[in-house]
Amino acid sequence: MLKLFKEEPKFKFIDKRHVAFVLSGLIILAGVFVFFTRGFNWGIDFSGGTLIEVSFREPTSIQQLRASLAGINLGDAQITRIGGENKFFIKTLASLKKLNLPSGEKLDDIEEYELVAREIRNGIMNESERTAVAAGKIDLNNSAEGEIARFLRDRGILDEDARESARLIIGLRKSGSGIIGDFSELEQAGVKNRVVSKLRSEAFLGRYTFLSVEFVGPQVGMDLRRKAILACIWALIGMLIYIGFRFKLLFGLSGILTLAHDVLVALAFILFFRIEMSLQVVAALLTIVGYSINDTIVVFDRLRDNLKIMRKDNLGAILDKSINQTLS
């Protein structure tokens, strides 16, 4: 078995318990304060809305992107740059009403958010791109494969050539940064010259592209939030029952308290740093729960044995020895 210490350490953990209590208490209280004053930064999984990943060909700042969105009443959208790249996440809870768009009587959530994404796409366009669209030209950086193929067929390109060209164009977008910079790239990718000539005259290459668009309805988001909370609660109850059966009920209660402590501290830092609360973060919290209870059970196992062996020692000494024995 791997041992980090050649000899059993003799750290006095229990002597420092008051410092630990104060430090943990301050972190948790600060987290509670932030929760009630600012709340969680709910991800689209829980809040519902539209999440778009967009890539620009030319250097673009968050301020420029926000100014473009302000023209369609989305200046308050959450915009995050992805690393040092020229890519951004745009997250918004906008509805058709906020965008001043007429809403159909039977629109479901997905249809509504697709319209919202379309308006965001239009809002990002510059004047020359809007002029090209108004003239009936197609944006090769923001069109689906079927849409490109249909566009080419309508302009006299044979069906087989249209489908092959559309496939090559989409493949070119996926192989690079997601955005085509020049029509010469189409020729290099294998698109036939007569098709490229047609596209040069009747299509254009937008300066941005939507890499992904995700939609989550508000009802779905609330349901996911409820299920995530229930998952944590049932996990805690299950562990309480197991530890109570495996050891004693008192051990189970103390184990759940340590779990609550670990989760609350993690949540506090999530609140401090405005980390987006998503399904991945919930999975990470459940992972913390799993590792935490595993460590607790290992220490409890040593504690149970030492309580029988060290009958003359006080509880603090027994706890210190049990923890030191399991440090490696």
Side-chain angles (χ1 to χ4, degrees), residues 52-301:
I52 296 171
E53 183 182 1
V54 59
S55 175
F56 285 86
R57 184 171 59 229
E58 302 165 354
T60 304
S61 67
I62 290 179
Q63 290 73 21
Q64 289 174 314
L65 185 52
R66 192 176 300 283
S68 298
L69 294 175
I72 55 171
N73 296 327
L74 287 184
D76 58 347
Q78 182 178 323
I79 304 173
T80 307
R81 182 183 289 275
I82 303 174
E85 301 181 75
N86 212 26
K87 298 179 182 178
F88 304 84
F89 278 127
I90 302 174
K91 174 188 168 186
T92 176
L93 306 181
S95 62
L96 297 182
K97 183 177 180 181
K98 182 174 183 180
L99 294 173
N100 297 321
L101 295 175
S103 56
E105 294 180 2
K106 297 183 179 180
L107 280 181
D108 60 22
D109 288 335
I110 298 298
E111 290 173 326
E112 178 167 339
Y113 287 118
E114 284 177 346
L115 291 174
V116 170
R118 187 193 66 187
E119 287 304 308
I120 291 174
R121 192 191 304 273
N122 294 338
I124 297 175
M125 285 184 182
N126 59 24
E127 195 59 40
S128 63
E129 289 168 332
R130 291 194 184 94
T131 301
V133 170
K137 294 186 176 182
I138 188 173
D139 181 1
L140 297 182
N141 280 324
N142 282 292
S143 299
E145 184 174 336
E147 188 179 355
I148 296 173
R150 185 168 57 253
F151 177 84
L152 290 172
R153 282 196 301 270
D154 292 343
R155 279 151 184 79
I157 303 297
L158 295 176
D159 180 64
E160 185 177 346
D161 290 341
R163 285 189 285 109
E164 177 64 13
S165 299
R167 185 185 64 79
L168 290 172
I169 291 170
I170 296 301
L172 180 60
R173 275 164 46 183
K174 290 182 178 179
S175 64
S177 62
I179 190 166
I180 302 172
D182 191 85
F183 282 101
S184 61
E185 296 178 31
L186 301 181
E187 297 175 342
Q188 296 170 7
V191 180
K192 293 181 178 180
N193 290 334
R194 61 190 181 86
V195 175
V196 174
S197 298
K198 179 68 69 175
L199 291 174
R200 283 181 186 275
S201 61
E202 300 195 40
F204 70 99
L205 297 171
R207 74 192 203 288
Y208 69 91
T209 184
F210 280 11
L211 299 176
S212 66
V213 180
E214 296 179 24
F215 312 104
V216 177
Q219 190 60 42
V220 175
M222 290 177 62
D223 189 50
L224 284 173
R225 191 186 309 184
R226 180 182 61 82
K227 288 181 177 178
I229 294 171
L230 286 175
C232 293
I233 292 174
W234 283 115
L236 293 175
I237 292 174
M239 291 174 188
L240 174 62
I241 294 172
Y242 169 75
I243 300 173
F245 174 77
R246 184 72 175 77
F247 297 93
K248 294 180 180 179
L249 180 60
L250 184 60
F251 281 52
L253 291 172
S254 59
I256 294 302
L257 284 175
T258 61
L259 278 180
H261 163 270
D262 295 346
V263 172
L264 287 173
V265 169
L267 287 173
F269 281 98
I270 287 172
L271 286 161
F272 297 157
F273 294 105
R274 298 292 291 164
I275 297 172
E276 187 176 272
M277 182 61 74
S278 63
L279 290 177
Q280 289 86 350
V281 172
V282 172
L285 290 172
L286 290 175
T287 303
I288 290 175
V289 168
Y291 279 111
S292 175
I293 198 64
N294 179 72
D295 292 345
T296 302
I297 289 174
V298 171
V299 175
F300 280 174
D301 189 57

